[in-house]
Short mmCIF file of all heavy atoms in Angstrom, two decimals:
data_model
loop_
_atom_site.label_atom_id
_atom_site.label_comp_id
_atom_site.label_asym_id
_atom_site.label_seq_id
_atom_site.Cartn_x
_atom_site.Cartn_y
_atom_site.Cartn_z
N PHE A 893 1.55 -5.99 0.97
CA PHE A 893 2.56 -6.76 0.14
C PHE A 893 1.85 -7.65 -0.87
O PHE A 893 2.33 -7.77 -2.02
CB PHE A 893 3.49 -7.55 1.05
CG PHE A 893 4.33 -6.68 1.96
CD1 PHE A 893 4.63 -7.11 3.26
CD2 PHE A 893 4.78 -5.46 1.54
CE1 PHE A 893 5.42 -6.33 4.07
CE2 PHE A 893 5.58 -4.70 2.37
CZ PHE A 893 5.89 -5.10 3.66
N GLN A 894 0.79 -8.29 -0.50
CA GLN A 894 0.11 -9.23 -1.41
C GLN A 894 -0.56 -8.43 -2.52
O GLN A 894 -0.49 -8.83 -3.74
CB GLN A 894 -0.95 -9.99 -0.70
CG GLN A 894 -0.41 -10.96 0.34
CD GLN A 894 0.48 -12.07 -0.28
OE1 GLN A 894 0.32 -12.52 -1.40
NE2 GLN A 894 1.50 -12.43 0.53
N ALA A 895 -1.09 -7.31 -2.23
CA ALA A 895 -1.76 -6.47 -3.27
C ALA A 895 -0.72 -5.86 -4.21
O ALA A 895 -0.98 -5.66 -5.35
CB ALA A 895 -2.57 -5.37 -2.58
N GLU A 896 0.47 -5.60 -3.70
CA GLU A 896 1.49 -5.09 -4.56
C GLU A 896 1.90 -6.00 -5.68
O GLU A 896 2.22 -5.58 -6.81
CB GLU A 896 2.71 -4.71 -3.74
CG GLU A 896 3.84 -3.98 -4.58
CD GLU A 896 5.09 -3.74 -3.76
OE1 GLU A 896 5.30 -4.44 -2.73
OE2 GLU A 896 5.88 -2.91 -4.14
N LYS A 897 1.82 -7.35 -5.39
CA LYS A 897 2.24 -8.30 -6.36
C LYS A 897 1.33 -8.39 -7.57
O LYS A 897 1.69 -8.74 -8.66
CB LYS A 897 2.37 -9.67 -5.70
CG LYS A 897 3.41 -9.78 -4.66
CD LYS A 897 3.39 -11.17 -3.96
CE LYS A 897 4.39 -11.24 -2.80
NZ LYS A 897 4.38 -12.60 -2.15
N ILE A 898 0.04 -7.96 -7.33
CA ILE A 898 -0.94 -8.09 -8.44
C ILE A 898 -1.48 -6.70 -8.81
O ILE A 898 -2.60 -6.55 -9.29
CB ILE A 898 -2.06 -8.99 -8.05
CG1 ILE A 898 -2.77 -8.50 -6.71
CG2 ILE A 898 -1.64 -10.43 -7.92
CD1 ILE A 898 -4.03 -9.23 -6.37
N LYS A 899 -0.63 -5.59 -8.49
CA LYS A 899 -1.10 -4.30 -8.72
C LYS A 899 -1.33 -3.97 -10.19
O LYS A 899 -2.13 -3.13 -10.52
CB LYS A 899 -0.23 -3.25 -8.08
CG LYS A 899 1.18 -3.17 -8.73
CD LYS A 899 1.93 -2.11 -8.00
CE LYS A 899 3.38 -2.03 -8.67
NZ LYS A 899 4.17 -0.93 -7.99
N ASN A 900 -0.58 -4.70 -11.06
CA ASN A 900 -0.74 -4.46 -12.48
C ASN A 900 -2.03 -4.98 -12.99
O ASN A 900 -2.60 -4.38 -13.97
CB ASN A 900 0.42 -5.06 -13.25
CG ASN A 900 1.72 -4.38 -12.96
OD1 ASN A 900 1.81 -3.19 -12.66
ND2 ASN A 900 2.89 -5.15 -13.03
N HIS A 901 -2.52 -6.04 -12.39
CA HIS A 901 -3.80 -6.62 -12.77
C HIS A 901 -4.97 -6.09 -12.02
O HIS A 901 -6.10 -5.93 -12.57
CB HIS A 901 -3.73 -8.19 -12.69
CG HIS A 901 -2.61 -8.78 -13.42
ND1 HIS A 901 -2.65 -8.91 -14.82
CD2 HIS A 901 -1.43 -9.40 -13.07
CE1 HIS A 901 -1.51 -9.48 -15.24
NE2 HIS A 901 -0.80 -9.83 -14.14
N GLN A 902 -4.75 -5.78 -10.72
CA GLN A 902 -5.81 -5.32 -9.88
C GLN A 902 -5.31 -4.03 -9.13
O GLN A 902 -5.07 -4.11 -7.92
CB GLN A 902 -6.33 -6.30 -8.91
CG GLN A 902 -7.00 -7.56 -9.62
CD GLN A 902 -7.67 -8.45 -8.61
OE1 GLN A 902 -7.84 -8.11 -7.45
NE2 GLN A 902 -8.01 -9.64 -9.10
N PRO A 903 -5.21 -2.91 -9.81
CA PRO A 903 -4.64 -1.69 -9.04
C PRO A 903 -5.59 -1.23 -8.05
O PRO A 903 -5.12 -0.62 -7.08
CB PRO A 903 -4.49 -0.76 -10.24
CG PRO A 903 -5.41 -1.20 -11.33
CD PRO A 903 -5.43 -2.74 -11.20
N ALA A 904 -6.88 -1.44 -8.15
CA ALA A 904 -7.84 -0.95 -7.21
C ALA A 904 -7.59 -1.64 -5.84
O ALA A 904 -7.71 -1.00 -4.79
CB ALA A 904 -9.27 -1.22 -7.64
N LEU A 905 -7.26 -2.93 -5.84
CA LEU A 905 -6.95 -3.62 -4.59
C LEU A 905 -5.73 -3.10 -3.93
O LEU A 905 -5.67 -2.94 -2.66
CB LEU A 905 -6.75 -5.13 -4.92
CG LEU A 905 -6.66 -6.01 -3.69
CD1 LEU A 905 -7.88 -5.95 -2.77
CD2 LEU A 905 -6.35 -7.45 -4.10
N PHE A 906 -4.69 -2.78 -4.74
CA PHE A 906 -3.42 -2.18 -4.19
C PHE A 906 -3.81 -0.78 -3.57
O PHE A 906 -3.27 -0.47 -2.45
CB PHE A 906 -2.42 -2.13 -5.26
CG PHE A 906 -1.14 -1.42 -4.82
CD1 PHE A 906 -0.32 -2.07 -3.87
CD2 PHE A 906 -0.72 -0.24 -5.33
CE1 PHE A 906 0.89 -1.51 -3.48
CE2 PHE A 906 0.47 0.32 -4.95
CZ PHE A 906 1.25 -0.29 -3.99
N ASN A 907 -4.57 -0.05 -4.24
CA ASN A 907 -4.90 1.34 -3.76
C ASN A 907 -5.74 1.23 -2.46
O ASN A 907 -5.55 2.04 -1.54
CB ASN A 907 -5.62 2.16 -4.79
CG ASN A 907 -4.67 2.48 -5.95
OD1 ASN A 907 -3.48 2.62 -5.76
ND2 ASN A 907 -5.26 2.68 -7.13
N ALA A 908 -6.58 0.24 -2.35
CA ALA A 908 -7.43 0.12 -1.17
C ALA A 908 -6.51 -0.29 0.02
O ALA A 908 -6.76 0.16 1.16
CB ALA A 908 -8.47 -1.00 -1.42
N ALA A 909 -5.51 -1.11 -0.21
CA ALA A 909 -4.62 -1.49 0.94
C ALA A 909 -3.81 -0.27 1.46
O ALA A 909 -3.64 -0.14 2.63
CB ALA A 909 -3.67 -2.61 0.39
N LYS A 910 -3.42 0.58 0.44
CA LYS A 910 -2.70 1.79 0.93
C LYS A 910 -3.65 2.76 1.66
O LYS A 910 -3.26 3.38 2.63
CB LYS A 910 -2.08 2.51 -0.27
CG LYS A 910 -0.89 1.75 -0.87
CD LYS A 910 -0.04 2.70 -1.69
CE LYS A 910 -0.72 3.23 -2.82
NZ LYS A 910 0.18 4.07 -3.79
N GLU A 911 -4.87 2.85 1.19
CA GLU A 911 -5.83 3.82 1.87
C GLU A 911 -6.14 3.34 3.30
O GLU A 911 -6.35 4.22 4.17
CB GLU A 911 -7.19 3.91 1.03
CG GLU A 911 -7.00 4.68 -0.25
CD GLU A 911 -6.68 6.14 0.05
OE1 GLU A 911 -7.14 6.72 1.11
OE2 GLU A 911 -5.89 6.68 -0.77
N LYS A 912 -6.11 2.07 3.52
CA LYS A 912 -6.36 1.55 4.83
C LYS A 912 -5.34 2.05 5.79
O LYS A 912 -5.61 2.43 6.96
CB LYS A 912 -6.42 0.06 4.86
CG LYS A 912 -6.80 -0.60 6.14
CD LYS A 912 -6.89 -2.11 6.05
CE LYS A 912 -7.32 -2.73 7.41
NZ LYS A 912 -7.39 -4.20 7.28
N LEU A 913 -4.04 2.00 5.34
CA LEU A 913 -2.97 2.53 6.25
C LEU A 913 -3.03 4.06 6.38
O LEU A 913 -2.73 4.59 7.49
CB LEU A 913 -1.65 2.09 5.59
CG LEU A 913 -1.30 0.63 5.51
CD1 LEU A 913 -0.02 0.39 4.84
CD2 LEU A 913 -1.23 0.06 7.00
N LYS A 914 -3.48 4.74 5.28
CA LYS A 914 -3.61 6.20 5.42
C LYS A 914 -4.69 6.55 6.39
O LYS A 914 -4.56 7.64 7.08
CB LYS A 914 -3.91 6.80 4.07
CG LYS A 914 -2.69 6.79 3.07
CD LYS A 914 -3.09 7.49 1.72
CE LYS A 914 -1.95 7.47 0.76
NZ LYS A 914 -2.31 8.12 -0.53
N ASN A 915 -5.73 5.74 6.53
CA ASN A 915 -6.76 6.01 7.46
C ASN A 915 -6.23 5.92 8.90
O ASN A 915 -6.84 6.50 9.83
CB ASN A 915 -7.94 5.11 7.26
CG ASN A 915 -8.73 5.39 6.05
OD1 ASN A 915 -8.66 6.53 5.54
ND2 ASN A 915 -9.44 4.38 5.50
N TRP A 916 -5.18 5.20 9.10
CA TRP A 916 -4.53 5.12 10.38
C TRP A 916 -3.45 6.19 10.54
O TRP A 916 -2.62 6.13 11.47
CB TRP A 916 -3.97 3.67 10.59
CG TRP A 916 -4.95 2.67 10.77
CD1 TRP A 916 -6.24 2.83 11.14
CD2 TRP A 916 -4.71 1.25 10.63
NE1 TRP A 916 -6.90 1.60 11.23
CE2 TRP A 916 -6.03 0.56 10.97
CE3 TRP A 916 -3.58 0.42 10.33
CZ2 TRP A 916 -6.13 -0.77 10.94
CZ3 TRP A 916 -3.82 -0.92 10.27
CH2 TRP A 916 -5.04 -1.54 10.60
N LYS A 917 -3.53 7.22 9.72
CA LYS A 917 -2.62 8.39 9.74
C LYS A 917 -1.18 8.02 9.40
O LYS A 917 -0.29 8.79 9.87
CB LYS A 917 -2.65 9.05 11.16
CG LYS A 917 -4.02 9.54 11.52
CD LYS A 917 -4.50 10.66 10.54
CE LYS A 917 -5.91 11.17 10.91
NZ LYS A 917 -6.38 12.21 9.96
N LEU A 918 -0.91 6.98 8.65
CA LEU A 918 0.40 6.78 8.07
C LEU A 918 0.59 7.68 6.87
O LEU A 918 -0.35 7.79 6.05
CB LEU A 918 0.60 5.31 7.68
CG LEU A 918 1.16 4.39 8.78
CD1 LEU A 918 0.12 4.09 9.84
CD2 LEU A 918 1.70 3.05 8.17
N THR A 919 1.74 8.29 6.77
CA THR A 919 1.97 9.22 5.68
C THR A 919 2.38 8.39 4.45
O THR A 919 2.74 7.26 4.49
CB THR A 919 3.04 10.16 6.02
OG1 THR A 919 4.29 9.50 6.22
CG2 THR A 919 2.70 10.95 7.27
N ASP A 920 2.35 9.10 3.27
CA ASP A 920 2.76 8.48 2.02
C ASP A 920 4.24 8.07 2.10
O ASP A 920 4.66 6.96 1.55
CB ASP A 920 2.64 9.48 0.83
CG ASP A 920 1.13 9.63 0.53
OD1 ASP A 920 0.34 8.72 0.79
OD2 ASP A 920 0.82 10.69 0.02
N VAL A 921 5.06 8.84 2.82
CA VAL A 921 6.45 8.53 2.91
C VAL A 921 6.60 7.22 3.71
O VAL A 921 7.46 6.37 3.37
CB VAL A 921 7.23 9.71 3.63
CG1 VAL A 921 8.69 9.30 3.89
CG2 VAL A 921 7.13 10.94 2.70
N GLN A 922 5.87 7.11 4.79
CA GLN A 922 5.94 5.86 5.64
C GLN A 922 5.50 4.61 4.87
O GLN A 922 6.15 3.58 4.93
CB GLN A 922 5.11 6.01 6.90
CG GLN A 922 5.61 7.03 7.93
CD GLN A 922 4.69 7.19 9.16
OE1 GLN A 922 3.47 7.46 8.96
NE2 GLN A 922 5.24 7.06 10.29
N ILE A 923 4.46 4.81 4.05
CA ILE A 923 4.00 3.62 3.22
C ILE A 923 5.05 3.23 2.19
O ILE A 923 5.30 2.00 1.98
CB ILE A 923 2.62 4.00 2.59
CG1 ILE A 923 1.59 4.20 3.65
CG2 ILE A 923 2.22 2.94 1.60
CD1 ILE A 923 0.24 4.74 3.12
N GLU A 924 5.68 4.24 1.57
CA GLU A 924 6.75 3.97 0.55
C GLU A 924 7.91 3.20 1.18
O GLU A 924 8.52 2.36 0.61
CB GLU A 924 7.14 5.22 -0.11
CG GLU A 924 6.07 5.83 -1.06
CD GLU A 924 5.64 4.87 -2.12
OE1 GLU A 924 6.47 4.08 -2.68
OE2 GLU A 924 4.44 4.97 -2.56
N GLN A 925 8.25 3.65 2.45
CA GLN A 925 9.31 3.00 3.18
C GLN A 925 8.96 1.53 3.45
O GLN A 925 9.87 0.70 3.32
CB GLN A 925 9.60 3.72 4.47
CG GLN A 925 10.30 5.12 4.31
CD GLN A 925 10.49 5.82 5.61
OE1 GLN A 925 9.99 5.46 6.62
NE2 GLN A 925 11.28 6.85 5.56
N ILE A 926 7.73 1.24 3.84
CA ILE A 926 7.35 -0.11 4.09
C ILE A 926 7.42 -0.95 2.79
O ILE A 926 7.95 -2.07 2.81
CB ILE A 926 5.87 -0.17 4.67
CG1 ILE A 926 5.88 0.50 6.08
CG2 ILE A 926 5.37 -1.59 4.73
CD1 ILE A 926 4.45 0.70 6.60
N LEU A 927 7.00 -0.38 1.74
CA LEU A 927 7.05 -1.16 0.45
C LEU A 927 8.51 -1.35 0.00
O LEU A 927 8.87 -2.39 -0.60
CB LEU A 927 6.30 -0.42 -0.62
CG LEU A 927 4.76 -0.36 -0.50
CD1 LEU A 927 4.12 0.63 -1.49
CD2 LEU A 927 4.19 -1.76 -0.62
N ALA A 928 9.34 -0.30 0.30
CA ALA A 928 10.78 -0.43 -0.08
C ALA A 928 11.55 -1.46 0.62
O ALA A 928 12.29 -2.23 0.07
CB ALA A 928 11.47 0.94 0.02
N THR A 929 11.19 -1.57 1.94
CA THR A 929 11.93 -2.53 2.78
C THR A 929 11.37 -3.93 2.59
O THR A 929 12.07 -4.99 2.73
CB THR A 929 11.89 -2.20 4.23
OG1 THR A 929 10.52 -2.08 4.60
CG2 THR A 929 12.59 -0.81 4.45
N GLY A 930 10.10 -4.00 2.35
CA GLY A 930 9.48 -5.33 2.21
C GLY A 930 9.29 -6.01 3.58
O GLY A 930 9.00 -7.24 3.58
#
């Protein structure tokens, strides 16, 4: 959530946060749902 707020300025940080969740076998759909609900 914190990285999403500054993704326009630091997109690499936002992508790293998402990759961490993907390494735990969360799917792209699950990550988008988390971001959508907040």
Side-chain angles (χ1 to χ4, degrees):
F893 293 147
Q894 295 298 325
E896 184 186 20
K897 295 177 182 179
I898 58 173
K899 67 179 180 179
N900 294 330
H901 302 289
Q902 295 188 14
L905 185 61
F906 177 66
N907 291 333
K910 288 201 296 185
E911 286 299 322
K912 184 176 182 180
L913 293 176
K914 287 181 180 180
N915 289 337
W916 288 344
K917 298 300 180 182
L918 269 72
T919 65
D920 290 332
V921 175
Q922 289 176 311
I923 295 173
E924 292 300 328
Q925 287 178 349
I926 293 172
L927 291 171
T929 58

